[in-house]
Amino acid sequence: MSSAPFAVGVDSVVFLESADVIPHVPAIVGGIGLTDVLAWVSIGAFFAAFLLHWQSGPDAARRIGAVAWLLFGVFWLTMVPYYYYDVQSPLQTVLALAALPLCAYTGYLLFAGRQSLLLLTKAVGIMGLIYLPAETIPFVRAWLIETTAAQTHYGMELLGHSPGLSEGVNGYESRFDFDPNETVTGRTTYIVMACTGLGSMAIFGGLIASVTAPLKRKAAAFALSIGVIWALNLTRNVFIGLASPWGWFQQDWIVSFMTTYLGAEADRVSYLVAHNYVSQSLSVVALIGITYLVVRILPEVLAPLEEVLYVLSGNEYDLFEALGKDEYRPDKHNTGTAAD
C-alpha cells in the first residue's frame, strides 16, 4: 500500500488490521504508483525552481515554480480516494480536495509576478527532499516504521499493556499483537510510514531550512520542533493503538451515529474516533503550538507564513510588525548577530 508523502500537517496514521479491510491502491502506471510519480516530479520541479532562482534569476524560477505548484495540487487530488475510503478521514479528505485549487492559485500568483512566493516554493521543495527519500528507500522506511512501532509498544507497556509485536500486512514488525479473543473489538492496529511523524517534521524542517538566519538559532528551532513532534506523535500512536482494540469509544450512541450516518463498521468505531476525530483535531492544535515556539526562536519563518496567509485570504499581513519582530524581516538584510 502506498502512503502519502505529506499529509497537510496531520500525517500520523495507525491502520486497522483485519482480513476484510483492504487498502485502496492509487492508480498505477507501469507498476509505479501514479501518486509517487507526481510527488517526485512536483518536488523535483520545486527544487529546480530554487536552483534557477539561484543561478538564472527569478523569471525562470517563477515559471518552473508555477508548474511545480500545479503538479503538487494534482498529486493531492490523487490522494482523495485514499483518505476517503481507506483512512475515512473527513479532515484529510477535505484538505486534499482543497489543495488543488489552492496550489493552482499559488502557481498563478507566482507566474503573475509575486516573487516573494519563491521562498515558500523553496520551503516545500526542501520538505519533499526530507520526506521522499525516507518514503522510498526500503531500509530507511523499514527502520523508521519498526522503530516507531517498538517505541509505541514501550509506551503501551508503561500503561500496563504488552501485546508484543508481529509482522503486519505491510511486511514490517509493526503490528500490535493483541489477542482478538481478549479485546473488546477483536481488532488491532499496525504502524505505517505516516505514523512516524516524519511528514510534520519535514514541514518544519523545510520552513526552517528555507530562511536565512544564524545556524545556531536554526538548529535550536529544528531540535525543538522535532523533539516535540516526536513526543506528541508517540503519545498519539499509543492512544490510538490502545483505543482501537479496547473499544474506548464503543459507546452505543457513538456506534449508532457512526454506522448510520458515516458508514463505519461497528467494531471499527473506536479506531475511527480516536484517529480521525480526536487525534487529528489535536494535531492541528499541536502544529499551531509548535509553530508559535519555532517563531519565538526563529522569527524569520514568519516570511513564508505570510505568503501562506496571503494565498488563503488574498490579504497582505505583516506578521513581523504584529509580533514586534520587524528587525528579523528578510529585506532588512540582518546578520542576526544581535539576536543570537
Side-chain angles (χ1 to χ4, degrees):
M1 180 182 66
S2 176
S3 63
F6 303 103
V8 200
V10 283
D11 62 330
S12 181
V13 181
V14 184
F15 276 91
L16 197 68
E17 183 170 90
S18 172
D20 58 350
V21 176
I22 302 175
H24 169 80
V25 180
I28 300 294
V29 178
I32 300 176
L34 176 60
T35 298
D36 292 338
V37 171
L38 283 169
W40 274 110
V41 172
S42 60
I43 294 304
F46 280 122
F47 194 63
F50 163 63
L51 292 178
L52 284 171
H53 187 208
W54 179 48
Q55 294 180 341
S56 306
D59 291 339
R62 285 191 291 104
R63 291 191 289 268
I64 295 298
V67 174
W69 279 105
L70 181 60
L71 290 172
F72 197 48
V74 175
F75 154 73
W76 282 113
L77 186 64
T78 67
M79 295 303 302
V80 170
Y82 167 75
Y83 289 135
Y84 183 78
Y85 291 108
D86 296 345
V87 183
Q88 294 184 2
S89 169
L91 175 61
Q92 289 177 295
T93 301
V94 170
L95 290 175
L97 282 170
L100 178 57
L102 286 173
C103 288
Y105 180 56
T106 304
Y108 165 77
L109 290 173
L110 184 60
F111 184 80
R114 189 173 177 86
Q115 185 175 325
S116 54
L117 278 168
L118 286 172
L119 181 61
L120 184 60
T121 301
K122 176 184 176 182
V124 174
I126 296 173
M127 293 174 197
L129 290 177
I130 293 172
Y131 190 95
L132 285 178
E135 166 73 20
T136 55
I137 298 174
F139 77 89
V140 177
R141 182 184 178 92
W143 180 82
L144 285 171
I145 291 174
E146 293 184 351
T147 299
T148 300
Q151 292 174 348
T152 302
H153 188 272
Y154 178 73
M156 291 180 177
E157 288 183 322
L158 294 178
L159 297 177
H161 300 273
S162 185
L165 286 170
S166 61
E167 185 175 299
V169 297
N170 57 2
Y172 303 112
E173 292 292 320
S174 64
R175 177 183 181 273
F176 304 114
D177 202 14
F178 287 99
D179 186 340
N181 295 318
E182 296 180 357
T183 57
V184 173
T185 64
R187 300 270 192 170
T188 191
T189 56
Y190 65 98
I191 300 293
V192 296
M193 184 64 181
C195 304
T196 64
L198 185 62
S200 295
M201 294 177 187
I203 290 173
F204 285 97
L207 287 173
I208 292 166
S210 68
V211 300
T212 301
L215 180 60
K216 181 179 178 180
R217 286 197 288 110
K218 293 178 75 169
F222 182 77
L224 173 68
S225 60
I226 298 306
V228 173
I229 290 170
W230 173 82
L232 293 179
N233 185 70
L234 181 61
T235 300
R236 179 171 52 180
N237 285 343
V238 171
F239 166 64
I240 299 170
L242 293 177
S244 176
W246 295 112
W248 289 357
F249 299 98
Q250 292 297 125
Q251 288 82 3
D252 290 342
W253 70 272
I254 299 178
V255 174
S256 177
F257 178 82
M258 294 283 290
T259 56
T260 303
Y261 298 104
L262 299 178
E265 298 173 58
D267 55 359
R268 203 176 185 224
V269 166
S270 279
Y271 164 76
L272 293 174
V273 172
H275 176 262
N276 292 355
Y277 297 94
V278 177
S279 295
Q280 288 186 358
S281 298
L282 292 177
S283 293
V284 174
V285 175
L287 289 173
I288 294 172
I290 296 168
T291 301
Y292 171 77
L293 295 175
V294 169
V295 166
R296 288 181 61 88
I297 298 172
L298 192 69
E300 288 85 352
V301 300
L302 292 172
L305 295 179
E306 285 181 344
E307 295 305 307
V308 172
L309 289 176
Y310 180 80
V311 171
L312 292 175
S313 69
N315 297 318
E316 298 283 1
Y317 292 91
D318 192 337
L319 297 180
F320 290 93
E321 181 178 357
L323 298 177
K325 303 290 185 180
D326 195 61
E327 68 271 22
Y328 296 95
R329 190 189 305 276
D331 58 15
K332 295 294 184 181
H333 302 290
N334 252 335
T335 61
T337 303
D340 286 345

